[in-house]
Amino acid sequence: FLLLQPAVSVGNVGQLAIDLVISTLDMTKVGYFYTDCLVPMVGNNPYATAEENSMELSINAEVYSLPSKKLVVLQIRSPFIKNKYRPFCETLLSWVKSSKCARVVLLSSSHAYQRDDEQLLGTPLRYLLTPDLEKAVGGRMKELNWKEMEKVAAYPGISNTDKVLHIPGGGITKLLFTESCSEGIQMAVLLKFCSEGDNIPDAFVLVNYLNEWLQLIKSEVSTSNNSTDPSSQWKIPSSWRLLFGNGLPPALF
Amino acid sequence: MATFFGEVVVAPSRAGLDEEEEAREETPEDREIRREIEKKRYRREIDVLWSRAEEPLVCSRFIVAIGRNAAAFLSSFILDSVCWEVVGVVKLWNEWCRTSSTTNVLPTDSFCLFYRLIADPTVLLCQCSCYVAEDQQFQWLEKVFGSMQKKGLQVTILSTCPVADYKTQESTLTLVSPFLKALKTKEFQEQVCCPLLEQPNIVRDLPAA
């Protein structure tokens, strides 16, 4: 099966995109991670569509599945506790191996303000593949005309130094990716350059990017202007209400 | 993030802190620093001290009050020295508060005490008015629940949140407060005395743990 998960990263774009996937595909919760690496939180069902299904408790790290597409999704809902990045990554990767997961796709984001001059032009979307996955799907990425995440100089300003992978604001992305490379895990990272703010549009862009490759939903051709606009096919979960505060007090006016 | 003066500042991000430092190779200084941090981390251990250290406490009902308001509620309406006895205390330290192992506390102190109903010793109550830091919450959970022998255990958690944090369509100014909301697990079959907490509201920290 394919494991799809977010990194807790700038703008929470990965997590928002995962919310869209779970909500649109109406995935079933099959389990959760009992972990001390994430800040605890609990609430009622964030994907509730009616009174009847709104009462299921939901916590910070839950696993959903869609057997028809051999898809398993992990959603992470709270920040990492200090010093717990590595333990979480290790536990996650050992679960990936023991559960015979075929490949992992990580949705993430990186600070837009850290882009260099070249990165400011063109698409803000990037991908990364571990060597094991490169062999399998590297060709497909070329067909899709996707851009690989550039490596940067280890010491900016000084030329001819080693180039390293740098994902500022990416949370566990770099750690998980480098660990997967060395453990022979097939992992792809899909990320978008963005800033904090209203990241809902960023989430849509990222999830459409994912869809170009995995084809999780069909992008219908719109008859009016003959272009494909898959954004309308994604279902926004009910928990996205009131992301920016409550209603205004009438006394204000 | 660029400010309007043209400088670049690192804005606080919902992604949390970047732990890129961990990827570097360790120098001897790094190792020394890490040792010092480990020592400091040891101070963040939680100790749960029970008055009867030999047997684990058998518990069928556990009521936990987290935060000063909830703790005060229990002090005012439930607890008294006739029906309840102190059976345990949590000793912890973090940047916000320190608790001690004394059981003689003032309402303004930070403390975390366990009481048992004398008439039915399987009913336990916890008043936790101290702040339990993020990295200690899991530990608190494991140590407290780990030392109990659960017998059809029912847990009730009392906590408070500021009304300003409540997310609703109307403004919170027009809401009649205080008001009660609840979250319950599937296994809780009894009637809940108040409406359930609607999305997108959530609970975090120790009550969530």
Side-chain angles (χ1 to χ4, degrees), chain B residues 84-143:
Chain B
W84 297 86
E85 57 171 354
V86 179
V87 288
V89 66
V90 170
K91 216 170 112 186
L92 62 84
W93 174 91
N94 55 52
E95 293 79 10
W96 294 270
C97 71
R98 174 203 300 275
T99 67
S100 62
S101 43
T102 172
T103 54
N104 206 5
V105 290
L106 296 170
T108 46
D109 290 339
S110 285
F111 56 87
C112 184
L113 293 172
F114 296 90
Y115 299 85
R116 184 169 63 178
L117 187 63
I118 297 177
D120 179 359
T122 66
V123 176
L124 284 183
L125 202 145
C126 172
Q127 265 185 325
C128 187
S129 72
C130 62
Y131 175 66
V132 181
E134 277 174 4
D135 55 316
Q136 295 172 316
Q137 286 158 11
F138 198 79
Q139 232 197 102
W140 189 100
L141 197 66
E142 298 269 285
K143 290 196 172 164

Side-chain angles (χ1 to χ4, degrees), chain B residues 63-65 69-79 125-127 158:
Chain B
I63 300 164
V64 189
N69 291 326
F73 168 77
L74 287 187
S75 296
S76 316
F77 295 102
I78 311 282
L79 284 172
L125 202 145
C126 172
Q127 265 185 325
L158 303 172

Side-chain angles (χ1 to χ4, degrees), chain A residues 20 24 204-205 207-209 211-212 215 217-222 227-235:
Chain A
L20 286 172
T24 310
F204 274 103
V205 169
V207 81
N208 286 330
Y209 188 54
N211 201 46
E212 277 177 39
Q215 294 290 299
I217 62 166
K218 301 244 177 309
S219 13
E220 283 164 20
V221 178
S222 145
S227 62
T228 47
D229 178 22
S231 301
S232 49
Q233 265 86 62
W234 299 103
K235 191 166 102 181

Side-chain angles (χ1 to χ4, degrees), chain A residues 116 118-119 121 123-131 133-135 137-139 141-142 144-152 164-167 177 181 187-193 209:
Chain A
D116 63 24
E118 281 182 39
Q119 289 171 320
L121 308 165
T123 174
L125 294 160
R126 296 286 186 278
Y127 77 92
L128 279 169
L129 297 174
T130 56
L133 190 54
E134 175 79 48
K135 293 183 209 133
V137 304
M141 301 308 174
K142 298 247 178 332
L144 289 168
N145 217 4
W146 277 12
K147 231 171 150 176
E148 194 173 358
M149 181 70 169
E150 303 90 336
K151 290 203 159 106
V152 294
V164 292
L165 189 58
H166 187 50
I167 309 178
F177 181 71
C181 285
M187 176 183 282
V189 174
L190 267 54
L191 68 84
K192 182 178 190 295
F193 289 115
Y209 188 54

Side-chain angles (χ1 to χ4, degrees), chain A residues 9-10 12 34 36 39-42 44-45 55 57 81 83 85 113 169 196-197 199 239 241 246-249, chain B residues 1 13-15 17-19 134 137-138 142 166-169 171-172 183-184 196-197 199-200 203 205 208:
Chain A
S9 55
V10 56
N12 306 101
Y34 182 61
D36 62 341
V39 174
M41 57 83 28
V42 67
N44 275 324
N45 184 6
M55 287 183 286
L57 282 187
I81 292 177
N83 299 317
Y85 275 38
Y113 67 81
E196 295 282 351
N199 300 105
S239 54
R241 287 174 54 228
N246 299 335
L248 297 167
Chain B
M1 175 176 88
S13 167
R14 278 172 262 162
L17 298 162
D18 249 344
E19 295 204 8
E134 277 174 4
Q137 286 158 11
F138 198 79
E142 298 269 285
Y166 184 64
K167 302 222 185 342
T168 173
Q169 199 66 35
S171 153
T172 48
L183 284 173
K184 65 173 194 69
L196 292 180
L197 186 66
Q199 276 287 346
V203 174
D205 293 326

